[in-house]
Amino acid sequence: MEYFDRYQGGERAILVSVNVQILQDLDAEEFRLLAKSAGAEVLEHFSAQRYRPDAKLFIGSGKAQELAEFVEAHEAELVIFDHALTPAQERNLERIVQCRVVDRTGLILDIFAQRARTHEGKLQVELAQLDHLSSRLVRGWTHLERQKGGIGLRGPGESQLETDRRLLRIRVGQLKDKLEKVRQTRIQGRAARQKASVPTVSLVGYTNAGKSTLFNILANSDVYAADQLFATLDPTLRRLDWDGIGALVLADTVGFVRNLPHALVESFKATLEETLEATLLLHVIDSSSPDVMEQIEAVEAVLKEIGADVPVLRVYNKIDQSGEQEKIIYAKADLPDRVYVSAHSGQGLDLLRQAVQECLVGQIQVFDLVLKPAYGKLRTQLYALNVIQSEQYDDEGNLHLVVRIAPNKLQQLLGKAHLPLEEILGVAAEKLQRPREAFEIKDEIG
C-alpha cells in the first residue's frame, strides 16, 4: 500500500512570501528574523503574487513547480511560508517540493518551544502545538489509517490514526486542566494585590521593542534580554517601590507580532490575563523602526482581541537610535499620553517614572506641610514614597516639609492617619511648573 511519509531534514531553509492582494501586507525583514530566531539557515527568499490563495497549493501549480526547482537547485531541506497553510496545502506542497513545509504558525510555535523556560510557559506552548497538530495527523502519516493487525488485534478496532487522535484529545484535556489551575493561582495573587491596593503596571509591545531591557532597569532585575524576536516568552512579575506611589507590581509579557495566530492567543490567555487585569499598560514602542505605525497597530489589534480595556501609556523606546529628545507629551485630559526614553542609554527614565506616577495617582503638585512632633509616622511614609524635597524644623519643634506628590495620594495617607489636610498644610498647594506643552492629541503619528 502506497503512503506518504514526512520528509526528514535539517534547517537549510527557503523562505516563501506570497503577496496576496486580499490579505494583509507582509514584512519581509520580520519574516527573515523569525526564521533566524528559529535557527534556520536562510538560503533564499522566494516570492510570488496572487489575487487570492490557491485552494490546493496556496501558490498555484506553476509556482509550486518553480519552487520545487528552486529547492532542488539550492539543496534546501525546509520551506517556510509566511502564511497560515491548511493541512492539505502543506501535504500537497511537500509532495511537490520533496522536503518539509512549515507555515507561519508552525514557525512561531517552534520559536516559542525553544524559548519557554517556566512550567507554565511549556504547558502553553505544548497546548498550542497540539492544537496545531490535531488537524495535521493525517498529513504526513496516512499509513496510520491502517487497521491494527496481529494476534488478538484482528477484526473491528480502531486505526492507529484514531488512537493517536484519542490520545491527543486526552493530553489536550490534561493541559487545559493544568493551565486552569495556573489561572486560578494567578487570580488569587491578583485578588490579594487588589485587596492590598497594589497597582499592576504591565509592559506590552511588539517583539524586540525593548520591553525586557526596560523591565530590568525599572525593576532592577535580570530577565533575559537580547536583540532578537521573542527573546523572552514567560511572564515575569516583580514587586517594587515606585516614587510617589509606593508598592507596585511590574509585569513583563510576551511580545507580539503582526498576524499573531489566533491559536497562540488562545493558548496564552493565562499569561495575557496579566495584561487584562493591569491597572496601567506601558505600550513599549521601537521608535527607531521604519514600520513603527504598523507595529503599533499590530499590538493594538491583539489587545483588542483579548479584550484589554486598560489605560495605556505609550513609551517610545530607543530614542538613542531614532534621534528623538526625551520628553512627555500630554493629552487634552492633562494626563501623560506618551513618553520618549532609551532603556539602553537611560535617557528619559525619570520622565517615565513621573508619567507613570501621574497616570496612576493624578497630576503632581508641590505642598508645604507642617508636621507636629507627634506626626513622625506620616513623615516616615512620605520618605518611603521618596516625595520629600526638603525639610527643616522651626523654633517650636514643628517639621516643615516641601513634598512633591499627587493630591489623591496625599489625601490617602492623611485619611489613614485621620488627619485633615488643613491641619498640616503650611501654604496653599501650588502646581508644579514643568517645561512642557500640553496639547490635544489629534493624530497617531510617532
Side-chain angles (χ1 to χ4, degrees), residues 50 63 147 166 173 216 249 268 314 354 404:
R50 289 186 65 85
K63 280 294 181 182
Q147 208 76 7
R166 177 170 51 82
N216 285 338
V249 172
F268 281 77
R314 290 185 177 180
Q354 173 186 320
R404 184 171 175 269

Side-chain angles (χ1 to χ4, degrees), residues 259-301:
N259 304 325
L260 189 66
H262 181 74
L264 293 182
V265 176
E266 285 295 314
S267 298
F268 281 77
K269 272 192 173 178
T271 298
L272 295 174
E273 279 186 357
E274 291 298 340
T275 299
L276 288 173
E277 301 296 332
T279 313
L280 175 68
L281 296 183
L282 299 186
H283 180 180
V284 184
I285 300 164
D286 181 359
S287 63
S288 65
S289 171
D291 302 319
V292 60
M293 288 310 304
E294 289 81 0
Q295 293 179 2
I296 291 173
E297 291 171 0
V299 172
E300 290 179 347

Side-chain angles (χ1 to χ4, degrees), residues 133-371:
L133 177 65
S134 61
S135 59
R136 287 165 167 76
L137 280 179
V138 71
R139 65 182 286 265
W141 295 279
T142 53
H143 61 291
L144 296 181
E145 292 174 351
R146 300 177 186 175
Q147 208 76 7
K148 286 181 177 178
I151 296 175
L153 295 175
R154 294 188 180 93
E158 63 180 3
S159 68
Q160 184 62 49
L161 182 59
E162 290 169 341
T163 301
D164 285 358
R165 282 176 173 161
R166 177 170 51 82
L167 293 175
L168 187 145
R169 286 194 298 270
I170 293 173
R171 180 58 180 164
V172 167
Q174 292 172 342
L175 289 173
K176 288 183 176 180
D177 289 342
K178 290 180 179 179
L179 284 173
E180 180 60 26
K181 292 179 180 177
V182 172
R183 179 174 173 272
Q184 292 301 324
T185 302
R186 287 187 178 278
I187 289 175
Q188 291 174 2
R190 281 195 296 269
R193 293 198 299 268
Q194 291 168 358
K195 186 177 181 180
S197 299
V198 178
T200 299
V201 177
S202 183
L203 276 68
V204 299
Y206 209 77
T207 183
N208 205 31
K211 295 186 305 302
S212 295
T213 302
L214 185 61
F215 179 87
N216 285 338
I217 294 175
L218 295 176
N220 192 23
S221 186
D222 58 354
V223 171
Y224 177 69
D227 185 17
Q228 59 185 17
L229 302 186
F230 299 118
T232 53
L233 177 62
D234 304 304
T236 306
L237 280 72
R238 294 287 186 273
R239 186 184 178 105
L240 61 145
D241 291 324
W242 198 280
D243 292 354
I245 298 173
L248 175 148
V249 172
L250 193 66
D252 186 21
T253 59
V254 62
F256 302 147
V257 293
R258 269 175 277 190
N259 304 325
L260 189 66
H262 181 74
L264 293 182
V265 176
E266 285 295 314
S267 298
F268 281 77
K269 272 192 173 178
T271 298
L272 295 174
E273 279 186 357
E274 291 298 340
T275 299
L276 288 173
E277 301 296 332
T279 313
L280 175 68
L281 296 183
L282 299 186
H283 180 180
V284 184
I285 300 164
D286 181 359
S287 63
S288 65
S289 171
D291 302 319
V292 60
M293 288 310 304
E294 289 81 0
Q295 293 179 2
I296 291 173
E297 291 171 0
V299 172
E300 290 179 347
V302 176
L303 293 176
K304 183 178 180 180
E305 182 177 353
I306 64 176
D309 185 18
V310 181
V312 178
L313 172 64
R314 290 185 177 180
V315 181
Y316 285 77
N317 190 25
K318 304 185 181 181
I319 61 173
D320 55 322
Q321 299 179 27
S322 65
E324 294 276 0
Q325 298 297 315
E326 56 181 272
K327 58 186 175 182
I328 301 177
I329 295 181
Y330 289 76
K332 64 180 180 179
D334 210 26
L335 286 176
D337 177 78
R338 60 185 73 167
V339 57
Y340 290 77
V341 305
S342 170
H344 180 71
S345 68
Q347 295 172 261
L349 293 183
D350 288 339
L351 293 179
L352 173 59
R353 293 184 177 95
Q354 173 186 320
V356 170
Q357 180 182 352
E358 292 186 6
C359 286
L360 291 178
V361 297
Q363 196 74 22
I364 300 172
Q365 297 182 14
V366 173
F367 295 90
D368 186 357
L369 306 181
V370 179
L371 303 186

Side-chain angles (χ1 to χ4, degrees), residues 395-440:
D395 296 337
E396 298 177 359
N398 296 320
L399 180 62
H400 291 255
L401 296 177
V402 177
V403 297
R404 184 171 175 269
I405 191 173
N408 298 353
K409 191 66 179 179
L410 181 58
Q411 289 283 12
Q412 180 184 356
L413 294 176
L414 296 178
K416 291 181 179 180
H418 306 290
L419 294 173
L421 179 61
E422 296 76 13
E423 183 177 337
I424 66 169
L425 193 62
V427 296
E430 198 172 37
K431 279 197 172 182
L432 178 66
Q433 298 299 318
R434 288 184 299 273
R436 55 93 171 171
E437 180 182 3
F439 58 92
E440 181 179 352

